[in-house]
Amino acid sequence: MALSEAEVRHVARLARLALTDDEVAALAPQLSKILEYAEQVGEVAAGDDVEPTVHPFALANVVRADERRDGLTRDEVLAGAPATEADRFAVPRIVAEEG
Amino acid sequence: MADPTPPTPPTSTTPPATDAAGGSAADGALTRSTAVALAARLRRGEVSAREVVDAHLDRIAALDGVVADGPVWAAKAAEELTADDVHAYLAVTADAARAHADDVDRRRAAGEELGPLAGVPLALKDVLTMRGAPTTCGSRMLEDWVPPYDATVTRRLRDADVVVLGKTNMDEYAMGSSTENSAYGPTRNPWDLDRVPGGSSGGSAAAVAGLLAPLAIGTDTGGSIRQPAALTGLVGAKPTYGTVSRYGLVAFASSLDQAGPFARTVEDAAQLQALIQGHDPRDSTSVREEVPDLLAHLRDGIDGLRIGVVTELQGEGYEPGIAATFEASLERFERLGATIVEVSLPHAPYGLPAYYLIAPSEASSNLARFDGVRYGLRVDAPTAEEMNAATRAAGFGPEVKRRIMIGTHALSSGYYDAYYLQASKVRTLIARDFAAAFETADVLVSPTSPSVSFGLGTKTADPIAMYLNDVATVPASLAGNPALSLPAGLAEAPDAPGTQLPVGLQLMAPLLRDDLMYRVAWAFEQDLGFDPVPTGPRAVEVAR
């Protein structure tokens, strides 16, 4: 399918990508071409008798033993963060203030 | 009581002759050596791990385009790199490598039992975490991020006393087939410094091909080890999916990503894969099934084996030099006693389209974590959502943005069934095709890449032209089967008559039969006698 610039802006919003107008203009035909290529998968007859594959081995419900073990320390985890405050990740306002 | 034998000095005291690459003639021999030969000399005490590491560091300082200063050497900034810099490494962990080598030497001298490759240096793709050095994934997003933990692959290498020299360049987040998508400038092919080394593990490939490391680890999602191995004259393997832990491997497409070895010989690659494989409780996709010993039957030959030629992975789209080398390879197999059989993977032509839905879909989900909060870049903005979007716009390059957009669209409301689900069903059909083919053939073969190495900048404008590099490697990725590329000879570059470049041959084996893949590769390699040291007018400098 061909993606319009409006659709590109919609997907960019979902993906949290602040694209410039130039990027949107360039991406619309590029993404359309890639999707058109990828849509060849639709030519394959694959009904309900064909299970999707996500792993070549049938693994199910892989869980570890429910026991305490050491993880990273708080300082190790926070060391890579761009902004911290009071031993937490600091982020800008998420919820708009109520009027 | 007289001792008739005077003690032999551990190393020669004669000052070595200086060669053109800025190292010594003795260093040249060390950097040309295979990993297995180095390990044997180390065990016999003929050379120290420190000398081996220093020889490689000297060569990296002379040829790779690094600022050889301080505990961790950084690559030169992209705009300062010259057309003669290989740029295989993004960071060289010089101090840590020397310290590890010294430690190996001390423990060996103390009589400690060490691993089969103890003291042998290695280059690690910058998508695997290692404490004490940045892990950038070739992205501005993670320019200054230093991970707080080691990947399982990294830890197993350290436990085996393989000495990590540094982190290698790659297409950003492993998305690409030429290493031109790195935010830190492209890596050059040691066979022709004006050409690409392939990708996404191009830095790892160039490190080994350029004699800047005897071994490297790459990762392969749709061909990112095999295609660069083919383009640089190396052996590169994607193990059976699930046999090498992904813990600490920054995820691109989780259901496909697999780390594996690069080496200049089949035996070196098998030795390295043996060190990193095995179940890991830290990776929930890690399998408990075991691969048979990769080395026990390496030299058994291929007399009587059935080699399956895949109808769909040849013909149109493959360069004449690739096709001719492939035909010659089949004749070689027959001379070695194998039988050539024709097999079909009827759904293989849908592999690449399926891959370009599955991989971007998983990438769009995996890369959501780069949001400016917990690690990496942040671009400030008044609200969290604006900060997320501005950070991601600034931190990701064009190819990563394209794939995130494709994946987000494919997974968005109303499209999932037609795209990701349908592609995952095609994947099942391809896996069934493989299973059927292995009823009539022991291993499958194809060219690894439709072309020899191409010029820097020649395919960057057309994403689909770049994607077609993976047409022969993607089917085994989707099915999960082990696959390997090894040198099949040299062929003329279509755009440069007279320029001879490496051609790769792909071997694909049944699930968990990585051992069989290596056995076939070894027999082929011994008969071919390919010299992996680059030659040509624009090849990297090598002391002869």
Side-chain angles (χ1 to χ4, degrees):
Chain A
M1 67 180 283
L3 283 186
S4 67
E5 290 194 11
E7 285 166 316
V8 170
R9 287 182 203 281
H10 168 69
V11 175
R13 168 82 205 285
L14 296 176
R16 299 291 186 272
L17 279 172
L19 300 179
T20 64
D21 290 347
D22 285 349
E23 284 178 308
V24 171
L27 278 167
Q30 280 178 353
L31 299 181
S32 300
K33 205 173 152 203
I34 296 167
L35 283 171
E36 186 191 337
Y37 178 76
E39 280 166 3
Q40 291 177 65
V41 297
E43 299 167 8
V44 178
D48 294 341
D49 58 322
V50 182
E51 288 291 316
T53 291
V54 292
H55 195 301
F57 296 89
L59 300 180
N61 297 338
V62 176
V63 293
R64 69 171 176 87
D66 184 17
E67 55 197 24
R68 181 200 165 279
R69 68 179 185 203
D70 291 333
L72 298 172
T73 66
R74 184 173 57 201
D75 287 347
E76 285 173 324
V77 170
L78 292 175
T84 61
E85 195 179 307
D87 291 335
R88 295 174 180 84
F89 296 113
V91 293
R93 179 166 51 80
I94 294 173
V95 181
E97 284 173 50
E98 289 185 32
Chain B
M1 194 165 63
D3 182 351
T5 320
T8 320
T11 53
S12 167
T13 49
T14 316
T18 303
D19 71 31
S24 69
D27 293 350
L30 290 181
T31 52
R32 271 200 311 275
S33 178
T34 67
V36 167
L38 276 178
R41 293 188 63 192
L42 285 160
R43 263 194 303 279
R44 292 195 297 262
E46 295 169 7
V47 66
S48 68
R50 178 60 186 265
E51 287 171 309
V52 173
V53 162
D54 282 340
H56 286 90
L57 290 177
D58 286 351
R59 190 168 162 81
I60 292 166
L63 297 170
D64 200 50
V66 294
V67 183
D69 188 30
V72 178
W73 303 350
K76 288 194 269 185
E79 59 277 12
E80 287 167 18
L81 289 163
T82 74
D84 291 331
D85 292 328
V86 178
H87 194 36
Y89 289 89
L90 293 176
V92 179
T93 48
D95 272 13
R98 292 190 197 105
H100 190 185
D102 287 341
D103 182 53
V104 170
D105 288 333
R106 255 193 313 274
R107 285 187 288 123
R108 197 188 302 274
E112 192 175 317
E113 188 74 18
L114 301 174
L117 295 177
V120 176
L122 171 140
L124 187 64
K125 187 178 182 180
D126 204 24
V127 72
L128 288 149
T129 61
M130 181 174 80
R131 283 176 194 261
T135 294
T136 69
C137 299
S139 181
R140 290 285 169 211
M141 182 65 87
L142 291 176
E143 188 161 7
D144 299 314
W145 183 61
V146 178
Y149 66 97
D150 282 338
T152 294
V153 167
T154 309
R155 187 169 46 74
R156 287 186 177 173
L157 291 170
R158 171 158 273 281
D159 289 348
D161 283 311
V162 174
V163 178
V164 175
L165 292 170
K167 307 295 290 294
T168 57
N169 199 12
M170 54 186 282
D171 284 302
E172 186 177 6
Y173 288 104
M175 298 177 194
S177 303
S178 67
T179 316
E180 293 168 290
N181 293 333
S182 169
Y184 304 100
T187 297
R188 292 167 181 272
N189 191 326
W191 286 80
D192 180 341
L193 294 167
D194 298 322
R195 291 174 185 270
V196 303
S200 66
S201 310
S204 291
V208 178
L211 313 183
L212 304 166
L215 298 171
I217 295 289
T219 60
D220 190 312
T221 303
S224 281
I225 292 173
R226 290 163 284 163
Q227 182 257 8
L231 270 50
T232 58
L234 298 178
V235 179
K238 181 198 85 74
T240 298
Y241 180 83
T243 60
V244 177
S245 171
R246 293 188 301 105
Y247 180 76
L249 192 179
V250 180
F252 158 21
S254 308
S255 75
L256 299 162
D257 297 343
Q258 194 68 168
F262 281 101
R264 294 193 290 270
T265 68
V266 172
E267 186 181 9
D268 280 5
Q271 282 274 7
L272 180 55
Q273 183 173 324
L275 290 183
I276 61 171
Q277 71 186 9
H279 180 256
D280 179 14
R282 290 177 185 270
D283 172 5
S284 65
T285 58
S286 171
V287 299
R288 290 185 180 278
E289 288 84 349
E290 288 194 4
V291 173
D293 191 318
L294 298 180
L295 300 158
H297 298 284
L298 189 68
R299 293 173 167 74
D300 282 5
I302 57 170
D303 192 32
L305 286 187
R306 300 162 303 169
I307 308 280
V309 178
V310 183
T311 311
E312 290 82 4
L313 301 181
Q314 54 183 322
E316 201 189 335
Y318 293 81
E319 287 175 1
I322 299 283
T325 307
F326 184 64
E327 288 307 317
S329 301
L330 299 182
E331 289 167 21
R332 187 176 304 281
F333 280 126
E334 286 189 309
R335 279 205 305 279
L336 290 167
T339 309
I340 303 294
V341 297
E342 189 88 10
V343 300
S344 176
L345 301 176
H347 296 92
Y350 296 100
L352 203 58
Y355 177 83
Y356 276 97
L357 291 169
I358 292 167
S361 293
E362 296 184 13
S364 74
S365 173
N366 278 321
L367 271 60
R369 61 171 61 90
F370 301 105
D371 57 3
V373 175
R374 289 154 296 169
Y375 22 63
L377 185 73
R378 170 180 291 188
V379 175
D380 285 318
T383 68
E385 184 181 329
E386 289 167 291
M387 181 275 286
N388 297 151
T391 297
R392 291 162 62 78
F396 293 141
E399 182 63 22
V400 173
K401 288 179 183 174
R402 260 194 296 276
R403 303 231 192 157
I404 288 174
M405 291 290 290
I406 290 286
T408 305
H409 175 67
L411 295 178
S412 65
S413 179
Y415 294 105
Y416 178 85
D417 284 4
Y419 288 151
Y420 190 80
L421 183 65
Q422 175 72 7
S424 299
K425 288 181 168 189
V426 169
R427 199 172 170 180
T428 303
L429 296 171
I430 290 173
R432 288 182 189 170
D433 289 351
F434 269 99
F438 286 123
E439 286 176 15
T440 54
D442 297 297
V443 296
L444 308 184
V445 293
S446 77
T448 307
S449 165
S451 74
V452 294
S453 173
F454 44 92
L456 285 157
T458 56
K459 291 192 184 178
T460 43
D462 181 353
I464 290 185
M466 190 68 90
Y467 297 171
L468 286 169
N469 279 293
D470 295 335
V471 70
T473 48
V474 148
S477 298
L478 291 169
N481 292 66
L484 167 157
S485 181
L486 82 162
L490 298 175
E492 190 172 76
D495 59 339
T499 298
Q500 297 285 314
L501 295 168
V503 176
L505 174 71
Q506 180 177 229
L507 303 179
M508 296 162 277
L511 290 170
L512 300 170
R513 290 309 308 276
D514 305 50
D515 59 318
L516 186 59
M517 170 178 94
Y518 279 110
R519 178 180 147 198
V520 174
W522 190 86
F524 185 92
E525 172 192 62
Q526 298 304 307
D527 192 63
L528 176 64
F530 182 82
D531 181 359
V533 177
T535 55
R538 281 288 288 148
V540 70
E541 273 181 56
V542 177
R544 300 272 170 188

